[in-house]
Amino acid sequence: MIDGVIAIVGRPNVGKSTVFNRMLEKRLSIVEDTPGVTRDRIYGDCDWLSRNYRLIDTGGIQLADQPFQKEIKAQVDIAIEEADVIMFIVSGKEGMTNDDQYIAKLLRKSNKPIILGVNKIDDFTKLDAIYEFYSLGLGDPIPLSGAHGIGIGDMLDKAVELMPDRKQENYEGMIRFAIIGRPNVGKSSLTNSFLRQDRVIVSDIEGTTRDAIDTVFTANDKNYVVIDTAGIRKRGKIYENVEKYSVLRAKSAIDRADVVLCVIDGSVGIIEQDKHVAGLAHEAHKGVIIVYNKWDLVEKDEKTMVRIEKEIREQFAYLDYAPIAFVSAKENKRVNTLLPMIDMVYDNVNLRIKTNVLNEVILDAQLANPAKSFNGKRLKIYYASQVQTAPCVIVLFVNDPELLHFSYKRYIENKLREAFGFEGVPIQIIARKREEG
């Protein structure tokens, strides 16, 4: 669960991406000395003081008429809108500029908590450079060096202090499912089919739904929360379509869901963006159902469903565990197959296997097909334990973790699925060396 969103803003070449990468502890943003390298918003998740945060790195804002400035400004506006706390980065090396003053004015209008970080203060001899930034009226500047990791903890400490308390939805005992997909695949129509009433605006215009919308409903004596999300747009359209921020909405919806419905437009067929969208759910280790919508618009015969299912399995090889549903949300056809499917995946997401039963399956798998030897050594699994549900994590205690080849891990996963089902659920298998003694 994400506890808050932090946006990093500032003019070009002040080191925003370096600070962003330090907080993530990995190189996700492009870092160069050329101003304007980061044009898009880049997202990453970090944790600090046992809480999880989403970071947004933004393109640099400047007054000069430089390429993409209008688009960058639009992207930054979106990041500010999404953020709970804003980190405003300036450069102590170059001093305060007109662009810094312009950005400070924009940020004050946002009424969001702002942390002012003066970057490129690489040692104590440069501390005096922070004082002129008091005139921006944004509180005490924090000296930092993204390049050397100085002051990063102070910035995050301040962010935690300023982070508003997010109201946690009281959805205890309810099955939460998110509906995600690129624009115009019929997510809102599908939501309305579940609710049997037009609670969400449905339109043929791409991107009509701008927010993630939670709706509680009851069916078959069970309580559900359906989370409808804005469509996820293609990367190539980033500058002309500021609704690209819907990726952040979708990620937030996925975070809060137990089960994710990945919707495909059957009238168009599978496109590359569908795989990107579904990948978000897979990477979050959520229960997944692939929903092939607009089935009424597909020309079909008795072999069509089998052919499309084969195509889906080929195109979404990483989601081979996900069940597939063919529906028409607009015509409300076959939508009744989805709730039982959601129930099943939800139960599988929360399935806990008894340790002795799990180890029997692992032992039988090894006896039926021992791991191949590698450099004269052979993998031996001593015992296994399911350490987590939602997502399912299985730890194998072995003689040498490096001997667990991905093909044998896949074999073990298949045996677990044969024994316990786990339909719709990704299984994480982790090998650890058994401690001697």
Side-chain angles (χ1 to χ4, degrees):
M1 182 70 73
I2 297 298
D3 296 305
V5 178
I6 301 168
I8 301 174
V9 303
R11 62 182 175 82
N13 211 30
V14 294
K16 297 184 300 298
S17 295
T18 306
V19 172
F20 174 83
N21 290 339
R22 275 286 177 184
M23 291 179 176
L24 286 184
E25 296 182 336
K26 59 186 174 184
R27 191 182 171 96
L28 185 60
S29 272
I30 301 168
V31 180
E32 291 182 16
D33 288 334
T34 308
V37 168
T38 306
R39 291 174 181 167
D40 186 9
R41 298 182 320 288
I42 299 172
Y43 304 105
D45 295 341
C46 74
D47 59 89
W48 189 255
L49 301 181
S50 302
R51 296 175 72 183
N52 298 310
Y53 300 99
R54 182 150 289 149
L55 296 178
I56 311 175
D57 185 19
T58 62
I61 310 171
Q62 58 191 136
L63 291 168
D65 187 18
Q66 296 294 323
F68 298 108
Q69 269 305 297
K70 182 180 178 182
E71 293 81 5
I72 291 170
K73 170 66 165 53
Q75 296 289 330
V76 172
D77 285 346
I78 291 163
I80 291 170
E81 178 189 335
E82 293 298 310
D84 297 301
V85 172
I86 299 164
M87 290 183 176
F88 177 26
I89 307 299
V90 295
S91 171
K93 184 178 180 181
E94 290 144 23
M96 189 163 61
T97 68
N98 290 337
D99 286 335
D100 293 326
Q101 293 173 331
Y102 169 67
I103 296 166
K105 186 177 179 181
L106 285 178
L107 295 181
R108 279 195 293 269
K109 291 179 181 176
S110 73
N111 294 317
K112 296 283 181 81
I114 300 165
I115 305 167
L116 178 60
V118 184
N119 194 26
K120 305 184 183 181
I121 306 295
D122 300 329
D123 57 62
F124 288 110
T125 63
K126 300 176 181 176
L127 271 176
D128 287 350
I130 74 169
Y131 294 115
E132 65 174 317
F133 291 100
Y134 274 96
S135 65
L136 294 175
L138 297 175
D140 295 334
I142 296 176
L144 69 145
S145 170
H148 298 96
I150 299 168
I152 298 298
D154 294 334
M155 293 284 285
L156 287 169
D157 283 345
K158 189 68 174 176
V160 172
E161 179 186 324
L162 294 174
M163 194 70 64
D165 287 332
R166 287 193 160 191
K167 289 183 179 179
Q168 295 298 318
E169 305 92 341
N170 186 20
Y171 294 153
E172 189 175 346
M174 301 183 187
I175 299 174
R176 297 168 297 179
F177 64 94
I179 302 176
I180 67 170
R182 58 186 178 82
N184 211 33
V185 296
K187 297 183 302 299
S188 296
S189 295
L190 188 56
T191 300
N192 290 338
S193 291
F194 282 120
L195 301 176
R196 296 198 176 110
Q197 54 187 312
D198 288 344
R199 292 284 293 276
V200 182
I201 297 169
V202 179
S203 167
D204 290 334
I205 302 168
E206 289 194 355
T208 303
T209 308
R210 286 185 156 265
D211 277 338
I213 303 167
D214 293 9
T215 309
V216 177
F217 70 99
T218 302
N220 304 320
D221 296 323
K222 290 185 178 179
N223 295 320
Y224 299 87
V225 182
V226 55
I227 308 167
D228 183 23
T229 59
I232 302 175
R233 288 191 177 276
K234 192 193 263 183
R235 273 196 177 281
K237 294 185 177 180
I238 178 167
Y239 300 121
E240 60 266 36
N241 292 304
V242 295
E243 289 179 49
K244 166 79 166 44
Y245 80 99
S246 59
V247 172
L248 181 62
R249 297 282 188 182
K251 286 184 175 181
S252 298
I254 290 167
D255 287 338
R256 294 186 288 117
D258 303 302
V259 180
V260 178
L261 274 55
C262 301
V263 184
I264 299 168
D265 183 346
S267 67
V268 175
I270 300 165
I271 66 172
E272 198 63 31
Q273 187 66 358
D274 293 319
K275 291 186 273 188
H276 168 64
V277 173
L280 296 175
H282 175 70
E283 289 164 11
H285 305 293
K286 298 290 183 173
V288 177
I289 298 169
I290 298 172
V291 180
Y292 202 82
N293 192 26
K294 304 188 184 180
W295 188 235
D296 56 306
L297 301 180
V298 177
E299 289 188 20
K300 45 191 172 289
D301 56 32
E302 67 277 2
K303 296 180 181 178
T304 305
M305 189 177 288
V306 174
R307 176 181 59 78
I308 293 176
E309 185 165 342
K310 182 181 178 184
E311 182 185 357
I312 290 171
R313 292 303 180 203
E314 289 172 352
Q315 296 290 324
F316 297 86
Y318 57 92
L319 286 177
D320 58 352
Y321 55 84
I324 302 169
F326 295 86
V327 307
S328 170
K330 191 173 182 181
E331 301 288 330
N332 200 24
K333 292 179 179 176
R334 302 175 63 90
V335 177
N336 62 336
T337 64
L338 286 174
L339 282 181
M341 209 175 273
I342 291 168
D343 292 344
M344 175 196 67
V345 174
Y346 176 80
D347 289 341
N348 289 341
V349 163
N350 292 284
L351 178 63
R352 183 170 291 279
I353 310 164
K354 290 182 178 179
T355 302
N356 63 323
V357 177
L358 173 63
N359 280 279
E360 284 177 17
V361 172
I362 297 294
L363 177 59
D364 289 345
Q366 288 188 94
L367 291 173
N369 180 22
K372 294 179 180 178
S373 61
F374 180 72
N375 288 339
K377 296 175 70 178
R378 188 188 302 274
L379 174 77
K380 181 169 179 57
I381 303 172
Y382 296 111
Y383 62 98
S385 176
Q386 183 182 9
V387 298
Q388 189 176 323
T389 63
C392 174
V393 181
I394 307 285
V395 174
L396 305 178
F397 293 89
V398 302
N399 55 336
D400 184 350
E402 292 186 5
L403 295 175
L404 181 59
H405 191 267
F406 75 88
S407 61
Y408 200 73
K409 182 188 285 190
R410 183 70 170 175
Y411 165 71
I412 293 293
E413 179 182 334
N414 288 338
K415 287 298 179 183
L416 292 172
R417 292 191 184 281
E418 284 177 20
F420 307 111
F422 281 122
E423 188 175 4
V425 180
I427 302 174
Q428 297 179 66
I429 297 176
I430 300 169
R432 288 186 185 156
K433 184 175 176 63
R434 187 182 71 170
E435 296 298 329
E436 301 296 334

